[in-house]
Amino acid sequence: MASEAGLSRGTLLAEAAALLAAGGLGASRREAHLLWAELSGQGPSASLVPPDSAIAREQADAFLEAVRRRAGGEPLAHVTGRIGFRHLTLRSDRRALIPRPETEGLVELVLARAPGGRVADVGTGSGCIALSLATEGRYQQVIGIDLSPEALELARENRTLTGGRVDLVRGDLCAPLAPGSLDALVSNPPYLTAAEHAALDRAVRDWEPALALDGGAGGCDAIAGLLDAGRTAVRPGGWLALELDCARSAHCAWLAGAFGWTDVAIHADLFGRERFLLARRSDAP
Ligand SMILES: C[S@@+](CC[C@H](N)C(=O)[O-])C[C@H]1O[C@@H](n2cnc3c(N)ncnc32)[C@H](O)[C@@H]1O
């Protein structure tokens, strides 16, 4: 038990693995080691510490509490409170979607095409896209917009953590943006259908905000809203970059054309799935 004196690291990790296995997590020993490496602050070098080294009682108790949360199904990024995104380490909790590695590719596409000027990230969530653009690009202004006050609060904390210069604004899609003010509009909007959201694995559905995931009956409510309002917010010749579900990439490309966007192209994510839509605003009004 953690409350007994002289608890060794080996005993603690064995207890953690047993708790995780009882919670139904596979590879429970590996997960226990991963959690310890993260929470002890020792990182990968944690595995070099001899198993019989003593762990302070308070530290062991705090670790086992975190293990119980993980065993209860809470995502690793919430339990550790941290997630890596590109070169940033961000705070992560229930207030916003956990940044996914695929989304790093969306940032890459924007940096390659529109590395300067004024850019807005609609549905900024944790702020991962906006903060990456602000710290990696050479923008005059980066604006992060979200409807969720909780997500914006987390994005503000991440702004403080990373020092990224981002203006964070609460609003509905492009409503806070002046006409023709943007060189690029980027968004990873909610893009699942309501049925897909309802059928999600509980590890996602129970722990991440529905507002971040549920894109309405057909999954395209926010995307259609962005294709529509984005035409006003982006200057002629400016860029639109969206993350979407590969099941609807062809439909979204068609929709973009129907809303008058030009040079519409679909790009693959790091797993080869058609996940990103790029387009430009034509000169025509
Ligand atoms: C898929 S999450 C993306 C979060 C973050 N950008 C990322 O890539 O991890 C979608 C975000 O859009 C926000 N959102 C949903 N509907 C919105 C709306 N109508 N206007 C602004 N933001 C919205 C949600 O609160 C959520 O933070």
Side-chain angles (χ1 to χ4, degrees):
M1 296 290 293
S3 54
E4 288 169 9
L7 185 81
S8 73
R9 175 180 159 278
T11 311
L12 181 65
L13 289 185
E15 190 174 337
L19 283 167
L20 292 166
L25 270 88
S28 57
R29 281 187 65 81
R30 187 176 170 279
E31 181 91 13
H33 279 261
L34 203 66
L35 261 175
W36 177 251
E38 275 286 323
L39 296 170
S40 65
Q42 291 171 340
S45 61
S47 56
L48 304 175
V49 178
D52 58 355
S53 58
I55 306 295
R57 178 178 159 169
E58 295 78 26
Q59 189 182 13
D61 284 342
F63 175 63
L64 288 178
E65 180 50 35
V67 168
R68 284 188 196 94
R69 286 172 59 193
R70 183 74 185 115
E74 197 165 342
L76 185 63
H78 288 185
V79 175
T80 62
R82 283 193 295 274
I83 186 84
F85 187 83
R86 292 183 69 88
H87 64 294
L88 302 173
T89 300
L90 301 171
R91 188 168 291 167
S92 179
D93 60 33
R94 290 190 83 144
R95 290 174 288 178
L97 191 89
I98 301 168
R100 306 296 204 267
E102 298 90 304
T103 306
E104 296 177 336
L106 183 65
V107 174
E108 197 68 36
L109 290 171
V110 176
L111 285 170
R113 284 156 186 82
R118 186 172 278 113
V119 61
D121 166 28
V122 175
T124 197
S126 62
C128 58
I129 296 173
L131 290 165
S132 295
L133 291 173
T135 50
E136 294 183 63
R138 37 173 208 280
Y139 296 98
Q140 179 190 340
Q141 188 183 20
V142 179
I143 306 162
I145 298 170
D146 210 290
L147 202 51
S148 157
E150 294 81 18
L152 280 175
E153 193 180 56
L154 179 61
R156 271 185 223 109
E157 291 168 14
N158 278 325
R159 179 175 61 185
T160 304
L161 269 179
T162 61
R165 286 178 54 235
V166 174
D167 294 322
L168 294 164
V169 186
R170 180 156 187 249
D172 185 11
L173 298 179
C174 300
L177 298 167
S181 61
L182 295 181
D183 295 283
L185 173 63
V186 53
S187 181
N188 173 16
Y191 54 64
L192 297 179
T193 67
E196 286 166 351
H197 179 252
L200 273 179
D201 192 294
R202 290 191 62 178
V204 177
R205 198 188 62 223
D206 291 356
W207 294 97
E208 300 193 73
L211 184 64
L213 294 161
D214 186 344
C220 294
D221 287 3
I223 289 172
L226 288 163
L227 290 171
D228 187 9
R231 285 259 307 145
T232 307
V234 174
R235 65 161 173 80
W239 288 92
L240 172 73
L242 299 178
E243 184 166 324
L244 32 83
D245 191 293
C246 53
R248 284 174 285 284
S249 57
H251 174 66
C252 291
W254 172 83
L255 212 54
F259 275 104
W261 291 90
T262 60
D263 302 333
V264 178
I266 297 292
H267 294 256
D269 69 8
L270 75 166
F271 304 114
R273 298 171 305 191
E274 295 188 337
R275 293 292 301 281
F276 308 122
L277 181 149
L278 288 187
R280 303 193 81 162
R281 185 185 152 185
S282 64
D283 283 347

